Amino acid sequence: MDKVKRPAPRAPKTNLLGLEKTEYRGKPSTLCKGCGHDSISQRIINAVWELGLDQTQVVKLSGIGCSSKTPAYFLGHSHGFNSVHGRMPSVATGALVANKNLTAIGVSGDGDSASIGIGQFKHAMRRNLPLVYIVENNGVYGLTKGQFSATADKGQQLKYAGVNDMPALDICLEAIVANATFVARSFAGDAKQVESLLKAALSHRGIAVLDIISPCVTFNNHDTSTKSYGFGKEHQISLQELNYIPAYEEIEIDEYDDEREVQLHDGSWIVLKKLAEDYDPTDRFAAYKLLEETRTSQQFLTGLFYIDESQPDMTELLNLVDEPLASLPQEKVRPSREQLDSIMAAL
Amino acid sequence: MDKVKRPAPRAPKTNLLGLEKTEYRGKPSTLCKGCGHDSISQRIINAVWELGLDQTQVVKLSGIGCSSKTPAYFLGHSHGFNSVHGRMPSVATGALVANKNLTAIGVSGDGDSASIGIGQFKHAMRRNLPLVYIVENNGVYGLTKGQFSATADKGQQLKYAGVNDMPALDICLEAIVANATFVARSFAGDAKQVESLLKAALSHRGIAVLDIISPCVTFNNHDTSTKSYGFGKEHQISLQELNYIPAYEEIEIDEYDDEREVQLHDGSWIVLKKLAEDYDPTDRFAAYKLLEETRTSQQFLTGLFYIDESQPDMTELLNLVDEPLASLPQEKVRPSREQLDSIMAAL
Amino acid sequence: MSVMVREAPSDQNDQGLRVNDFNINVATVNGSGSQTSNNVLLRSLFKMGIPVTGKNLFPSNIQGLPTWYNVRVSKDGYLARRDGIEVVVCMNPATVAEDMQDCAPNGIILYDDALPIAARRKDITYFPMPVKELVKGADIAFALRDYVANMVYVGYLTYLLDIEIDEIKAALTWNFGGKQKPIEINFDMVMRGYNSAKETVENTQPYRVTRMTGYNEDKILVDGNSAAGLGALFNGVNLVSWYPITPSSSVADAINEYAPKLRLDPETGKATYAIVQAEDELAAIGMVIGASWAGARAMTATSGPGISLMAEFVGLAYFAEIPAVVWDIQRMGPSTGLPTRTSQGDILSTYYLSHGDTRHVLLFPATPAECFEFAGTAFDLAERLQTPVFVLSDLDLGMNLWISDKFDYPEKPMDRGKVLSEADLKELSGSWGRYLDVDGDGIANRTLPGNPHKMASYFTRGTGHNEYAAYSERSEDWEHNLERLSRKFETARTLVPAPIIDAKPGAKVGIISLGSNDPAIVEARDRLRSAGIESSYLRLRALPIGQQVRDFIASEEYDQVFVVENNYDGQLYRILVSTEPGFAHKMISVAKCDGMSLSARFVNDSILAHRQ
Amino acid sequence: MSVMVREAPSDQNDQGLRVNDFNINVATVNGSGSQTSNNVLLRSLFKMGIPVTGKNLFPSNIQGLPTWYNVRVSKDGYLARRDGIEVVVCMNPATVAEDMQDCAPNGIILYDDALPIAARRKDITYFPMPVKELVKGADIAFALRDYVANMVYVGYLTYLLDIEIDEIKAALTWNFGGKQKPIEINFDMVMRGYNSAKETVENTQPYRVTRMTGYNEDKILVDGNSAAGLGALFNGVNLVSWYPITPSSSVADAINEYAPKLRLDPETGKATYAIVQAEDELAAIGMVIGASWAGARAMTATSGPGISLMAEFVGLAYFAEIPAVVWDIQRMGPSTGLPTRTSQGDILSTYYLSHGDTRHVLLFPATPAECFEFAGTAFDLAERLQTPVFVLSDLDLGMNLWISDKFDYPEKPMDRGKVLSEADLKELSGSWGRYLDVDGDGIANRTLPGNPHKMASYFTRGTGHNEYAAYSERSEDWEHNLERLSRKFETARTLVPAPIIDAKPGAKVGIISLGSNDPAIVEARDRLRSAGIESSYLRLRALPIGQQVRDFIASEEYDQVFVVENNYDGQLYRILVSTEPGFAHKMISVAKCDGMSLSARFVNDSILAHRQ
Ligand SMILES: Cc1ncc(C[n+]2csc(CCOP(=O)(O)OP(=O)(O)O)c2C)c(N)n1
Ligand SMILES: Cc1ncc(C[n+]2csc(CCOP(=O)(O)OP(=O)(O)O)c2C)c(N)n1
Ligand code: SF4
Ligand code: SF4
Ligand SMILES: [Mg+2]
Ligand SMILES: [Mg+2]
């Protein structure tokens, strides 16, 4: 394959749309100082700004929780919907069927997606819903003051919640088993990786699951917790070095055996630079192996685990007209008098 | 390991409790003639009778569907609970916490467990609930006349429901990923295998998931369907030959490299005779590999995919008194007047 | 119907015959194909111009259990369920004994001669049918035999009752969509039955049908659920997200069937609609809410259990003010109840659905034509009021075939409600409030995602918010918001379909009822009249009630106002009483709930009991 | 309380001082540890024998947003929320301006001298507190500084109001469970505040507290949720399955805390209970139903959104007749609403919860002692009636600390209801009917899984069934079953807790209210009396209503019966009116819903308005 021009490291003051980053801010956060979720919000602002997306064509959806509050804190010019606990996916599904041209970012928590919400999570994967599905994973219910969620490690101890004696659900494994087409894990403390993954996810065709470990500084941040900053900083191992290259930047082709490029639906590229052993993120089976191993060894491995650009997303499968269903004029959605007459005649 | 005395092939007229098999019947079935579910009911009757279980210590639970109706058709002397759609696991959880000495058989359908019920399914796995969880899997909603369920194959066509363009959820994969400790697949048409698996499942510690392909003769039984009798008879491949050996039968130990014996919680054994390549059902990872391969190749592989007898089940983890909570006398559950006084004094 | 028929029912017979005025009950086994025979029977009678209803009494199972089909022919045009069966057809060994017992005095009984016959009654004429023999006689694939066997009783009835053979043939043709082979096979079997009857029977029994005019002309025969589905398609539905449940599934089925014919873009052949089978009812309503929030016309169809599961989500739509259309084809509850029996038992729980202070808009269609119409009304109201709108039909209306007026083509343009476009925002130079009541009707403006105006976006939430959709925990904001919501509810009173009132001068009795009870009320009023009791009738078509309903209840003319409904607790009665406490003393609950549609007799007797 | 206090409120001051009769409002930032300071403040006043209430007004977030703590001291023993704040403590820059504005005429304001101060008012005395300086002065770990800073205002108040220092110390000791280190650190900071005040201030302001007797003796200070948890543990709870939700979580927390001390088997050290955190509310109620079906005492605690999610399952328990205890600690709905504000908005939706004809038993505790008691009552009723029982508390009662009577030890043995043992079945020689009403009270016998008798088993289902639990679609069986269920509901009327009635001779005004409104009613009645209006008061403790409630409503003595509740739609009023339509005309709804508990003033003014 090809030699690649890296994007200019220093981001310009304004983006493709000539807007400054401040334009992409939301309301001030009401989360605890230092909450991982706030840094993820910042990553989203950066990614969307750098991609030069038009905020009015983006929607933000969430369930309930500290994490689910965050859509109020980024992209202030996008429509947002803070729905009910664990049911964000169905709301997003409806919104995207109504207007398939929207770019949808879903924000959820581990309680919201793995406990009450695992059902809708699963079916969103099956449908390959064109949604960037971010799970801000801190292993606890933050907003209700620190109970264990379904992603809490077995044997973990918390001052308030006691010991968790049940095994964790692995968001990434759950996603892949249910046929998700873009599955990655990252760490709120790793700004660069999160942003590259966000950009790639926003360019992906279908569901893109980002399981982002996002420490709850108030209820689950002591170093023994795998969801803490301390643990993350100490133990995070990146599977690859990730670089996103937008479609508009030309890229020259040429062999590099320590690199893989995967072209995304919109023509952009995600470049994966091998760090440890070689890994093929298009091999679903390799993903199982890797994730099962890291789960048992409690390794904190991050990166893009699986990607498949070949699957049609849900709205494609519905064979919808090009125009959003929501904006179709009456002529297009009300059949003719003659059509009614002929049906009446037949009954 | 050891040479093994096979149990007498011909079942005796009465069982350990001196009861005839007819004693284990339920009400007459109201399902369609030839429905796979009816044969599974028969298998349950045989297994429970041959194991000589006391029906009064068994409970039958189900959700809603043709499959979920079947508990009325077997074990007429066991308490049964036909609950609501997709929520059998939570009802079973409550019942088992109330009385951990009960043997619980849960019957569900693919719609009941994979569509509306995947959430409770997942959490039952996590908790290692001591339940024999049978999914009578026909790929459709029988009782509502043949719509696709979440286990219907992608691309499958049905006269009434049209074409299914979504990938299937694989019950066994979903179970293993969520930490189930006994996972098997079988075919309603394979009486011997179903019975061996049922017996093993009834002896297992924790959750035992049986994904039994059970043809819906009315809505999904044409040979092109992977859930049909035709397809099953034609394509079923058994991973192992399974033999269940009850605890009371002595078994002599001695090497056999084409056989594995796994001892179950109650001292009984499940003997797995290798048929194709060797397979270790205690290797979770091998299970993924196998299931993912068979899923992609649309192979119909049956057998015991995974077993782990080492995990405590939910009621063990709760550290409950030996006597069922439900039958504790008032002295044991009402603290003393002194205890109340001291609490009052402290407030 | 409620306006056409006004003569008293008559059991008179001219020269000993009882013409166009009796009940037929066909007892078969479900899954045995009897549905075809019964539909053919019903359709041919309908096409003979005879007022007729067919009610299918089927079990909650797929195959092998008893099923009954009850046909009422009524020259007077009474379409309610009527007790008493004059013509009994027995095809089911499991129930033959009971079925024969149910036969009215001087009735007739047709039965498969293979059935075991209980002691015969003197007053009854028996017609054994050599079904097996006739079926053998025909050369048809073995597999099909069971299915066509039921055509034998159609043949016998055709002969005995004088049904026009051409109409039978026409009905068969219609039923099989013109496919020759099945038409022939089945018609052949009908004729074998017909001829066997002709040869073996001397037709002295009194029951006859004969062609009528003035009633069925340009009427259609259709079920309420198909009408609902068609109504949705003719009123711009964009998304149907549903989860299968009896008796609502046929709403989605109808849409599935008609949509490709009606709603594909002619140029591209692409769809202007989407049908999504959700994983459960929570997801179904969630998708409806998401789609409606984004500006689409979205609906779901369900029944009681689904309504209960939607409770939390409905509260969100109510409070965040998002349109949603939910069809509840009511079946017998509580719980799973009787999935194949009818009821109006979801009125209370739906009206107050979800925690906190909530009240919802409910529509009550009474006929297929109204199902078609209300499909549009529901969307218009949901988008105008920005709130969930429930259409409460029931199994009887939804799944049975009814004689109906042809559906009127929707003349009014669709009302998409207060949606600010980019242009509107420019005009307002971007300043607007999502929950700001600009004109006093309690309804605020909204914008749709994707609106390119920089100030279009707002944040939707189920938590407390102020007029500008900002999060707020302030008491004043909360109260202010609830005040506006109840102002909106007052507006709803003025927008929902007005009741149909048939006020009779001098009537002292007022009757309020709803939905599929209409035929029973109509007939009961005629009976009451012949008993000297004149009544006025208000058919409620929606909640909340408007001024006309209040006036009717308040009217000095009526010393008693009976609230007639098909549930156990008198649910509508409870709502009316708590809405109009001032007149509670004169309202009387007339409620019954046994899985059957109401009969005129029940209504008549209940009211009489209070007039002694 | 409702019986103790009967003098009129007094704003009099002897020698210019206003003693034990004013409000304190402390404005802080949540997550800043102010809870400790406030609890210490409240507890020391309580221990001084002074009637006092503390209401925590906190945001739905974890850290950084404004929080207020409102303390009312009332020598007359009035514990309702009272408008007007005489003593303001400002610690939060974000709200200092508003907080100061809220100060009543002639009030005093204590503030962190680092705060920006708005224009000063003439009538107010200001007390700047050198918080930063005092904190610096003490040598404490940097991390702890923010937390102890709040002790400064405790010190200032202690000096200004004359709070007994020993009680402050005692309260601190209690609060930190005797741990010396934190006690010292905090007490030191209190004293620094105290001394700084003493040195810098000449205490001419009028507000004082002084020890009282006759009120708080052998009373306790406790929140309703802890009482509920303790009540469950003392009444044999076997399973608590719950899903976290504000404001109910502290019920499970209390059980978590006390259970190991109270409910481990002394010999084995094993648990006689289980606490299971479910994956959501559907699972929580499902587990409760499964466990109760198997014979355990099982409960869950939730709030509005959870109640909505439980709707379908509750219908199953109602119809299959399975006990279940559900605590609904009501918060502000609809939807997610205001999770940290109080309301009584779930009455209607819970009473009619689930589709089909359903009505449920609701209990309304008014005090922590009653929460403790009703925890047992709920289990007894659920097992006796074999039906779900809901205990409707609210955030105000559940999460705030209240002065309460000590809890009475449950004397009555637990009522496990009609459960047939193996012996019973032998006696009946195995013949019994699960839904057979043997004694006319509408309640049938049940057996538990595991009962070794051969005939013990039966099949439980939410579908139609006959008296022997066999599946049935027959109309008679269905009606018969619903008839029995309503007979059972009539029985419930006789078993639920009777209302507390305080009838005054000659009273023309009747007042009906429930739950945590009690203090406001008590105080309002005193005000009304001084305005010359005597009233009788019925505190409803349960639905369905029994004879005493009917008689109260029907009583000739009262020309008006006011139904007072903390929601918008007058939900209890609607239920009472539809239950007693004959007296609808004299019932008047007095409802308000702004997230705050009701004030005596609101009740008083609303009733007065109708008496002009
Ligand atoms: C139906 C329902 N049940 C319970 C709650 C209470 N609740 C709010 S947030 C939350 C858990 C949030 O956990 P998570 O999704 O991990 O988000 P986090 O706060 O940790 O970011 C719960 C249980 C609710 N709002 N709705
Ligand atoms: C809440 C709810 N939604 C829908 C239904 C209708 N319903 C009954 S059974 C069923 C599907 C059953 O499918 P499956 O579990 O595969 O059982 P099968 O009939 O195929 O054996 C549905 C949707 C219901 N009973 N309850
Ligand atoms: S509680 Fe935890 S998750 Fe919630 S805002 Fe604070 S730090 Fe973040
Ligand atoms: S419909 Fe299908 S699943 Fe149901 S009973 Fe008939 S064959 Fe079995
Ligand atoms: Mg979390
Ligand atoms: Mg199925």
Side-chain angles (χ1 to χ4, degrees), chain A residues 109-111 136 138-142:
Chain A
D110 43 311
E136 302 186 347
N138 55 18
V140 291
Y141 297 163

Side-chain angles (χ1 to χ4, degrees), chain C residues 337-360:
Chain C
L338 299 178
T340 60
R341 294 291 183 269
T342 197
S343 158
Q344 295 169 330
D346 299 346
I347 301 173
L348 256 177
S349 48
T350 308
Y351 190 57
Y352 294 122
L353 193 64
S354 209
H355 59 283
D357 292 294
T358 57
R359 275 169 296 165
H360 303 289

Side-chain angles (χ1 to χ4, degrees), chain B residues 37 64-68 85 108-113 116 136 138 140-144 149, chain C residues 243-246 281 305-306 309 331 336, chain D residues 312:
Chain B
H37 303 347
I64 297 285
C66 295
S67 34
S68 294
H85 194 31
S108 180
D110 43 312
D112 198 58
S113 277
I116 190 173
E136 301 186 347
N138 55 19
V140 291
Y141 297 164
L143 192 53
T144 50
S149 81
Chain C
Y243 189 69
I245 184 167
T246 308
E281 289 84 352
L309 285 175
R331 67 188 207 182
T336 307
Chain D
E312 188 201 10

Side-chain angles (χ1 to χ4, degrees), chain A residues 35 37 64-68 84-85 87 108-113 116 136-144 147 149 216, chain C residues 312, chain D residues 243-246 280-281 302 305-306 309 331 336 339:
Chain A
C35 175
H37 303 347
I64 297 285
C66 295
S67 34
S68 294
V84 287
H85 194 32
R87 321 296 178 193
S108 180
D110 43 311
D112 198 58
S113 278
I116 190 173
E136 302 186 347
N137 189 347
N138 55 18
V140 291
Y141 297 163
L143 191 54
T144 51
Q147 302 85 359
S149 81
C216 170
Chain C
E312 188 201 12
Chain D
Y243 189 68
I245 185 167
T246 308
D280 65 12
E281 289 85 352
T302 186
L309 284 174
R331 68 189 208 183
T336 307

Side-chain angles (χ1 to χ4, degrees), chain B residues 37-347:
Chain B
H37 303 347
D38 278 338
S39 48
I40 296 172
S41 298
Q42 194 50 52
R43 302 287 81 73
I44 295 172
I45 291 172
N46 289 357
V48 174
W49 175 65
E50 287 181 9
L51 287 175
L53 298 185
D54 174 356
Q55 287 180 72
T56 67
Q57 303 309 305
V58 176
V59 285
K60 314 168 290 184
L61 304 111
S62 64
I64 297 285
C66 295
S67 34
S68 294
K69 283 181 176 186
T70 63
Y73 313 143
F74 58 79
L75 307 188
H77 293 296
S78 298
H79 275 75
F81 196 153
N82 183 186
S83 67
V84 287
H85 194 31
R87 321 295 178 192
M88 176 272 283
S90 60
V91 177
T93 306
L96 285 163
V97 170
N99 186 343
K100 62 179 184 176
N101 299 346
L102 295 171
T103 298
I105 301 173
V107 177
S108 180
D110 43 312
D112 198 58
S113 277
S115 297
I116 190 173
I118 191 70
Q120 293 210 347
F121 175 90
K122 283 283 171 181
H123 291 280
M125 306 297 130
R126 272 189 81 218
R127 297 192 174 101
N128 201 28
L129 184 69
L131 170 74
V132 176
Y133 192 140
I134 301 167
V135 179
E136 301 186 347
N137 189 347
N138 55 19
V140 291
Y141 297 164
L143 192 53
T144 50
K145 298 182 177 274
Q147 302 86 358
F148 287 118
S149 81
T151 67
D153 301 314
K154 185 168 182 174
Q156 196 201 339
Q157 188 141 18
L158 283 181
K159 190 147 143 295
Y160 161 74
V163 178
N164 172 42
D165 51 22
M166 281 191 294
L169 290 181
D170 182 308
I171 298 284
C172 293
L173 260 178
E174 293 294 340
I176 293 176
V177 169
N179 292 287
T181 51
F182 183 114
V183 180
R185 177 172 293 138
S186 191
F187 174 48
D190 184 343
K192 178 170 181 316
Q193 189 188 48
V194 173
E195 282 181 28
S196 305
L197 286 170
L198 275 168
K199 290 177 187 173
L202 284 161
S203 308
H204 172 66
R205 173 192 196 186
I207 190 95
V209 177
L210 302 184
D211 175 20
I212 306 180
I213 305 307
S214 175
C216 171
V217 295
T218 303
F219 297 113
N220 191 15
N221 196 34
H222 42 287
D223 297 357
T224 64
S225 163
T226 61
K227 306 289 194 300
S228 68
Y229 277 119
F231 183 94
K233 293 228 167 67
E234 184 112 338
H235 298 86
Q236 185 197 3
I237 305 167
S238 300
L239 179 58
Q240 324 102 331
E241 182 189 318
L242 294 165
N243 275 299
Y244 173 88
I245 299 173
Y248 56 82
E249 292 191 16
E250 100 251 18
I251 113 168
E252 296 157 19
I253 308 300
D254 152 27
E255 280 305 336
Y256 261 97
D257 66 359
D258 71 340
E259 261 183 20
R260 298 173 169 279
E261 293 85 6
V262 181
Q263 184 158 32
L264 300 161
H265 198 50
D266 64 0
S268 60
W269 296 79
I270 179 84
V271 180
L272 312 154
K273 192 170 190 317
K274 156 174 148 189
L275 291 178
E277 86 283 10
D278 193 26
Y279 177 80
D280 175 2
T282 64
D283 174 355
R284 157 197 295 275
F285 188 58
Y288 282 128
K289 189 161 185 308
L290 194 69
L291 287 166
E292 186 56 36
E293 282 163 1
T294 54
R295 164 151 82 168
T296 32
S297 61
Q298 290 224 351
Q299 253 185 63
F300 181 23
L301 186 72
T302 63
L304 178 61
F305 297 138
Y306 183 68
I307 181 168
D308 175 359
E309 290 294 298
S310 70
Q311 298 303 319
D313 69 36
M314 180 185 184
T315 60
E316 293 177 74
L317 287 170
L318 289 169
N319 180 40
L320 302 174
V321 290
D322 304 344
E323 203 177 337
L325 296 184
S327 53
L328 290 172
Q330 177 165 317
E331 317 80 74
K332 286 210 177 280
V333 295
R334 171 168 287 170
S336 71
R337 183 183 306 272
E338 294 61 38
Q339 284 170 299
L340 181 59
D341 292 345
S342 65
I343 292 170
M344 290 300 102
L347 289 172

